[in-house]
């Protein structure tokens, strides 16, 4: 991979890190850039998952205080999330390159659609948020398992799906639900990323460049959070995702 391609991927990862810090959906920027510089679709997805892992750690650590008192929920859901992430990774690596390329535009449209309804979903969850009550753990574990498989397979929009599942199955306020979501997203991505490390599909040069860019972007996003409208940024990401989906479809 040459200097030009590495530079493109670095700045794409910076943009993805900023977007993830402010609104989510950075994969809709970084994944298309990987394929644009010639990385095959499956390898691009694998490399992207591994490269963006550091950003999820920051999100999880930032909300540690909101996880207090939720140890029981996390003890049930984190192993489910880890197993689901690995299962999604196994499914991805057993999907042929041609089939995955055919599926990609629909995955991107799905993720962009989730981003588009994110605020409406958030408002719904705020309206239904009630004080903590009995956790319906079997039902939420099954739903999180399905979401984790999706996260290990593609990942874009995982945070939106996870928050929706938690909000509709657990009686808890939105801030504490978001903390659980952050930890789940981290565990799902790390478990699939660790599995991918031994797959032979990681493009290491691209991964290292993008990991550095993602960390830088996350830092920048944190610094400019008060100066940029997350709503405007989210709709920009939706537009980029829709354009990328149309490009892959055609």
């Amino acid at each position: 991979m040459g200097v030009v391609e590495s530079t493109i991927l670095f700045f794409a990862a910076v943009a993805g890190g900023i977007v993830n810090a402010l609104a989510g959906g950075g994969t809709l920027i970084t994944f298309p850039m990987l394929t644009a510089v010639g990385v095959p679709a499956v390898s691009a997805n694998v490399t992207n998952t591994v490269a963006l892992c550091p950003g999820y750690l920051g999100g999880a650590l930032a909300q540690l205080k909101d996880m207090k008192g939720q140890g029981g929920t996390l003890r049930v859901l984190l192993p489910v999330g880890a197993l689901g992430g690995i299962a999604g990774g196994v499914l991805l690596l057993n999907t042929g390159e041609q089939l995955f390329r055919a599926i990609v535009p629909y995955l991107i449209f799905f993720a962009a659609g989730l981003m588009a309804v994110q605020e409406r979903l958030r408002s719904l969850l705020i309206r239904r948020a009630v004080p903590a009550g009995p956790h319906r753990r079997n039902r939420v574990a099954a739903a999180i398992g399905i979401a984790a498989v999706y996260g290990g397979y593609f990942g874009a929009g995982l945070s939106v799906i996870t928050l929706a599942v938690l909000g509709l199955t657990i009686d808890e306020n939105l801030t504490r639900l978001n903390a659980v979501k952050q930890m789940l997203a981290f565990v799902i991505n790390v478990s699939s990323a660790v599995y991918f490390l031994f797959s032979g599909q990681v493009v290491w040069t691209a991964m290292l460049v993008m990991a550095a860019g993602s960390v830088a972007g996350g830092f920048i996003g944190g610094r400019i959070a008060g100066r940029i409208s997350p709503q405007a940024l989210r709709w920009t990401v939706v537009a980029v995702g829709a354009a990328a989906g149309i490009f892959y479809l055609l």
Side-chain angles (χ1 to χ4, degrees):
M1 184 165 291
V3 174
V4 173
E5 290 85 356
S6 297
T7 302
I8 290 172
L9 292 179
F10 175 79
F11 284 107
V14 170
I18 293 172
V19 167
N20 279 337
L22 297 176
T27 292
L28 292 175
I29 296 173
T30 53
F31 173 77
M33 284 297 110
L34 277 163
T35 60
V37 299
V39 180
V42 172
S43 291
N45 195 32
V46 166
T47 302
N48 186 70
T49 298
V50 176
L52 296 185
C53 267
Y56 287 98
L57 176 61
L61 292 177
Q63 286 199 268
L64 275 179
K65 67 180 186 301
D66 296 311
M67 296 178 198
K68 291 181 179 179
Q70 302 198 79
T73 299
L74 292 172
R75 279 192 295 273
V76 172
L77 297 185
L78 293 185
V80 171
L83 291 174
I86 293 171
V90 171
L91 182 61
L92 172 66
L93 294 183
N94 283 279
T95 301
E97 180 70 24
Q98 186 174 357
L99 176 59
F100 185 68
R101 286 192 67 87
I103 296 172
V104 159
Y106 303 102
L107 292 171
I108 291 177
F109 284 140
F110 176 65
L114 287 172
M115 291 294 298
V117 302
Q118 185 179 34
E119 281 304 306
R120 186 169 298 178
L121 177 63
R122 191 186 301 273
S123 298
L124 172 65
L125 297 182
I126 290 173
R127 287 199 301 271
R128 71 163 300 282
V130 296
H135 290 186
R136 289 154 283 188
R137 287 177 182 159
N138 290 338
R139 187 166 66 177
V140 70
I144 288 296
I146 295 170
V149 171
Y150 168 79
Y153 189 79
F154 189 59
L158 172 63
S159 293
V160 181
I161 296 173
T162 305
L163 184 61
V165 168
L166 292 172
L168 295 173
T169 53
I170 294 179
D171 294 330
E172 189 58 91
N173 68 64
L174 186 60
T175 300
R176 287 167 62 79
L177 287 177
N178 197 63
V180 175
K181 177 213 74 177
Q182 296 280 36
M183 184 59 74
L184 277 170
F186 172 65
V187 167
I188 291 167
N189 277 273
V190 166
S191 61
S192 56
V194 170
Y195 174 72
F196 289 150
L197 288 176
F198 304 97
S199 68
Q201 293 273 13
V202 178
V203 181
W204 289 98
T205 303
M207 188 278 289
L208 293 172
V209 167
M210 291 180 68
S214 174
V215 171
F219 177 77
I220 294 170
R223 296 293 297 270
I224 65 175
R227 306 175 192 174
I228 295 181
S229 166
Q231 185 175 4
L233 185 62
R234 184 175 67 257
W235 283 108
T236 301
V237 173
V238 170
V240 169
I246 292 170
F247 174 80
Y248 283 110
L249 195 61
L250 298 178

